[in-house]
């Protein structure tokens, strides 16, 4: 594997559980057993009812593009060589939102509400980034 | 509890030109703006017993020095001041400082409060720090940073969705820039006074789609100040107080991903509450000083404020209604797009401009009968929304 130079996610006891899921190609989100709240980004306590009774569930990885931008210039320094690239907010069908990159697509054809599906990009031995491509028709 | 509608007022304002001024120190600009505000208010400086510096972004040491009462010493307030403390919430620091100041003066804890912002985003910027900040502040290091999002991408995200939802055209968004430059041409403190047509905006290249280079703001050095006291004291000092009739806000999120992607429904409550406190309806508004950072945010805010129907704000700008001589002047200082981006100062400049219009001190760009002026602010990466209503009469 060639050396990966882009920023890697900060690992905390909480985020590591999520990223371990990605490494196993499982897109995880939290669910509150007490109030049924769907939770993402992962939290230490339920943002709805303050319960600690949270469980991890696996997402289908299917969702839609809420919004996106294709960066051509003025990227963060680490991403100078990566332009152009597409960043998006994805709304998953389970009802949570995440940020990701849009890949395997023609940037000109991207639009809001477009259905997308997760693909897993193992960027290092330790980190696999979930990314999204237009859903198979 | 009794409403504090009209119980506090802005009695003095000061501002130095925004631009690139390498010879002008942060403290020189701050002292100049503060002196202007004190003289404008016609207030004995001893009555200014609380100083609230606003977050300095360009340099951490300058920020710490402002926290550590540098302004109290520079202005010679050491015998009479009771407190000096920072208010910082990014672009909405102005609105939060106003609220704190209102609370202090209406409860009698302070006679008068000086709010002072000074920053050197143009020439004093620690570049490494700046790059690090724009790529990491208000961005989740666990779940967002790996994807190459920076604060500049916010404009792309918002404009993309806004155009999709409303059918607003790129030309309409470009006309916001054209309009703000027209206002800036009338503002001696603005950084970008040269005219810019919508066509010229559309000729510039795409940076973060669909945002083009000329839809982005420029960083500059600047300073502005205002003084808040009670309505009763205000009348002793000045004939032209800007009474604070309403303030309201919502604070909703940290990250852009978990932001208000439902049409900012919660933020509408800020406008509703501010109008209710002020006892006005949207039709009473004579001028709207709207916080920007980029053009789409002004369009969205106009709809949140109820100044336009959904998707109509772009047309409003394109038809010239927001420009000098238009039926509802918008952001008459040119906002950050044309006055310049001074860090947390964009909101301070907008609030000071709102007070200036109410006081009738806006020179060439003074709007006739600016009796009710609404102003807004937002901090972080779209973390909150603040609405203030200033008026000539209580």
């Amino acid at each position: 594997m060639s050396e990966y130079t882009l920023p890697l996610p900060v690992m905390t006891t909480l985020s590591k559980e999520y990223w371990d899921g990605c490494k196993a190609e499982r897109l995880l989100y939290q669910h509150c057993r007490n109030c049924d709240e769907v939770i993402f980004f992962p939290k230490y306590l339920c943002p709805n009812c303050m319960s600690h009774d949270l469980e991890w569930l696996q997402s289908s990885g299917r969702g839609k593009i809420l919004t996106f931008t294709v960066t051509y210039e003025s990227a963060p320094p680490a991403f100078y060589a990566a332009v152009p690239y597409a960043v998006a907010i994805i709304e998953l069908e389970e009802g949570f939102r995440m940020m990701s990159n849009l890949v395997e697509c023609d940037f000109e054809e991207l639009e809001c509400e477009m259905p997308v599906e997760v693909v897993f990009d193992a960027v290092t031995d330790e980190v696999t980034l979930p990314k999204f491509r237009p859903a198979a028709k | 509890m009794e409403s504090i509608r009209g119980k506090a007022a802005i009695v003095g304002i000061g501002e130095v030109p925004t631009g690139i001024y390498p010879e002008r120190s942060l403290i020189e600009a701050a002292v100049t703006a503060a002196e202007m505000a004190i003289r404008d208010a016609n207030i004995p400086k001893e009555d200014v017993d609380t100083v609230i510096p606003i977050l300095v972004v360009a340099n951490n040491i300058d920020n710490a020095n402002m926290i550590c009462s540098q302004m109290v010493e520079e202005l010679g307030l050491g015998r009479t001041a009771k407190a000096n403390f920072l208010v910082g919430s990014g672009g909405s620091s102005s609105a939060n400082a106003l609220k704190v100041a209102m609370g202090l003066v209406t409860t009698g804890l302070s006679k008068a409060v000086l709010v002072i912002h000074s920053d050197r985003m143009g020439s004093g910027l620690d570049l490494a720090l700046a790059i690090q900040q724009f790529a990491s502040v208000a961005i989740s290091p666990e779940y967002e940073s790996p994807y190459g999002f920076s604060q500049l991408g916010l404009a792309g995200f918002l404009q993309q969705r806004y155009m999709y939802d409303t059918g607003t055209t790129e030309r309409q968004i470009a006309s916001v820039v054209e309009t703000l430059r027209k206002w800036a041409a009338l503002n001696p403190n603005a950084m970008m006074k040269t005219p810019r047509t919508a066509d010229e905006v559309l000729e510039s290249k795409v940076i973060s789609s669909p945002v083009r280079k000329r839809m982005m703001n420029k960083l500059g050095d600047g300073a502005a100040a205002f003084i808040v006291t009670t309505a009763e004291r205000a009348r002793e000092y000045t004939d032209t107080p800007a009474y604070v009739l309403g303030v309201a806000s919502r604070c909703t999120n940290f990250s852009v991903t978990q932001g208000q992607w439902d049409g900012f429904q919660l933020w509408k409550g800020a406008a509703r509450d501010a109008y209710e406190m002020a006892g006005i309806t949207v039709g009473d508004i004579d001028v709207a000083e709207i916080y920007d950072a980029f053009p789409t945010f002004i369009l969205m805010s106009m709809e949140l404020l109820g100044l336009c129907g959904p998707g109509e704000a772009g047309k409003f700008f394109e038809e010239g209604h927001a420009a000098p001589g238009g039926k509802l002047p918008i952001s008459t200082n040119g906002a950050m797009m044309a006055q310049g981006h001074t860090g947390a100062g964009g909101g301070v400049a907008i609030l000071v401009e709102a007070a200036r219009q109410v006081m009738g001190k806006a020179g060439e760009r003074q709007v006739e009968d600016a009796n009710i002026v609404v102003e807004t602010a937002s901090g972080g990466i779209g973390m909150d929304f603040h609405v203030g209503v200033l008026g000539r009469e209580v």
Side-chain angles (χ1 to χ4, degrees):
Chain A
M1 196 176 290
S2 63
E3 196 186 343
Y4 186 76
T5 57
L6 302 182
L8 293 169
V10 168
M11 294 294 172
T12 64
T13 50
L14 181 61
S15 71
K16 190 171 184 313
E17 293 199 51
Y18 166 76
W19 290 107
D20 282 350
C22 292
K23 196 173 163 187
E25 304 208 343
R26 288 159 45 87
L27 185 64
L28 302 180
Y29 65 98
Q30 286 174 311
H31 171 253
C32 177
R33 288 196 188 95
N34 184 52
C35 75
D36 213 27
E37 181 85 349
V38 168
I39 303 163
F40 199 81
F41 306 142
K43 296 279 186 286
Y44 296 95
L45 73 174
C46 175
N48 186 47
C49 72
M50 295 187 76
S51 167
H52 285 264
D53 192 8
L54 309 182
E55 63 178 342
W56 292 94
L57 298 179
Q58 183 175 353
S59 165
S60 69
R62 286 190 297 270
K64 62 179 185 177
I65 299 173
L66 212 46
T67 190
F68 68 98
T69 185
V70 180
T71 302
Y72 294 92
E73 283 187 31
S74 300
F79 287 83
Y80 283 169
V83 296
Y85 61 92
V87 189
I89 298 175
I90 310 296
E91 187 163 79
L92 280 299
E93 60 183 17
E94 292 84 3
F96 67 93
R97 297 195 298 253
M98 59 182 289
M99 184 174 282
S100 190
N101 292 130
L102 298 169
V103 295
E104 300 176 37
C105 60
D106 180 348
F107 292 155
E108 298 298 315
E109 289 174 5
L110 294 173
E111 58 177 357
C112 296
E113 298 293 315
M114 178 186 266
V116 290
E117 60 190 16
V118 72
V119 289
F120 290 97
D121 185 359
V123 297
T124 70
D125 290 343
E126 291 304 314
V127 175
T128 294
L129 297 179
K131 297 181 178 178
F132 286 81
R133 67 183 174 202
K137 294 208 171 92
Chain B
M1 201 178 115
E2 199 189 350
S3 168
I4 59 166
R5 177 193 182 280
K7 298 280 168 62
I10 296 176
V11 288
I13 52 173
E15 187 175 59
V16 301
T18 300
I20 308 297
Y21 296 96
E23 304 296 316
R24 187 178 76 191
S25 74
L26 183 137
I27 206 70
E28 179 190 346
V31 168
T32 305
E35 180 195 352
M36 288 167 77
I38 291 168
R39 294 195 190 284
D40 182 47
N42 191 32
I43 190 173
K45 78 176 168 69
E46 293 71 25
D47 285 4
V48 176
D49 56 11
T50 302
V51 177
I52 301 182
I54 298 287
L55 172 76
V56 178
V57 176
N59 185 300
N60 282 339
I61 301 300
D62 286 331
N63 190 52
N65 288 340
M66 293 297 264
I67 290 174
C68 297
S69 302
Q70 192 172 9
M71 288 302 291
V72 169
E73 186 168 312
E74 288 294 339
L75 295 170
L77 300 176
R79 290 172 185 277
T80 47
K82 296 170 180 164
N84 176 99
F85 57 89
L86 189 87
V87 167
S89 60
S92 66
S93 305
S94 52
N96 282 319
L98 176 61
K99 273 204 227 175
V100 172
M102 289 167 73
L104 288 171
V105 299
T106 57
T107 51
L109 289 170
S110 273
K111 270 188 178 175
V113 178
L114 168 69
V115 178
I116 172 73
H117 171 265
S118 183
D119 212 333
R120 302 181 79 227
M121 297 295 283
S123 62
L125 197 59
D126 176 337
L127 201 62
L129 175 71
I131 289 169
Q132 187 195 350
Q133 285 195 344
F134 285 117
S136 53
V137 171
I139 295 169
S140 164
E142 294 99 334
Y143 309 106
E144 293 182 325
S145 297
Y147 297 111
F149 181 74
S150 74
Q151 290 186 14
L152 300 171
L154 173 67
F157 274 0
L158 286 175
Q159 186 173 323
Q160 190 83 254
R161 186 72 206 193
Y162 184 78
M163 290 173 74
Y164 178 85
D165 284 338
T166 63
T168 298
T169 65
E170 246 202 304
R171 172 165 295 280
Q172 287 170 340
I173 289 165
S175 74
V176 177
V177 181
E178 182 175 314
T179 303
L180 294 174
R181 288 292 185 101
K182 284 180 183 169
W183 284 118
L186 305 175
N187 177 5
N189 290 339
M191 186 174 173
M192 284 153 287
K193 297 191 189 72
T194 50
R196 176 80 83 201
T197 66
D199 281 333
E200 289 169 335
V201 173
L202 295 177
E203 283 162 13
S204 63
K205 59 189 168 183
V206 175
I207 302 293
S208 186
S209 73
V211 174
R212 293 175 184 275
K213 191 173 178 64
R214 287 172 177 165
M215 294 172 179
M216 293 165 60
N217 60 64
K218 280 205 179 77
L219 297 175
D221 310 330
F226 60 93
I227 292 171
V228 179
T229 189
T230 60
E232 282 126 35
R233 282 214 178 81
R235 292 178 200 108
E236 292 170 20
Y237 299 132
T238 174
D239 295 331
T240 57
Y243 296 103
V244 186
L245 304 180
V247 285
S249 50
R250 293 291 187 276
C251 182
T252 49
N253 51 281
F254 162 68
S255 66
V256 67
T257 304
Q258 310 306 339
Q260 303 303 294
W261 294 103
D262 59 353
F264 295 83
Q265 293 304 322
L266 285 168
W267 287 7
K268 288 181 185 169
R272 204 168 48 232
D273 290 356
Y275 298 168
E276 190 187 324
M277 179 176 167
I280 64 161
T281 62
V282 74
D284 297 325
I285 295 166
D286 299 308
V287 183
E289 303 292 355
I290 303 181
Y291 183 90
D292 62 339
F294 46 85
T296 311
F297 205 75
I298 290 189
L299 299 179
M300 291 169 37
S301 299
M302 284 182 68
E303 295 171 20
L304 293 174
L305 292 168
L307 298 170
C308 286
E312 290 173 2
K315 188 160 169 276
F316 192 89
F317 267 88
E318 196 173 31
E319 291 174 352
H321 302 311
K327 63 183 179 188
L328 181 65
I330 304 285
S331 302
T332 58
N333 65 343
M336 278 187 274
M337 284 297 301
Q339 172 152 332
H341 188 322
T342 58
V348 182
I350 274 285
L351 176 55
V352 163
E353 178 72 3
R356 191 184 277 126
Q357 287 285 354
V358 169
M359 293 169 162
K361 296 173 178 173
E364 273 193 276
R365 63 189 188 286
Q366 179 64 46
V367 177
E368 213 178 318
D369 299 324
N371 293 314
I372 299 284
V373 178
V374 66
E375 58 88 31
T376 69
S378 180
I381 198 149
M383 73 177 192
D384 61 4
F385 190 65
H386 294 249
V387 179
V389 181
L390 305 184
R392 283 188 181 172
E393 313 272 338
V394 174

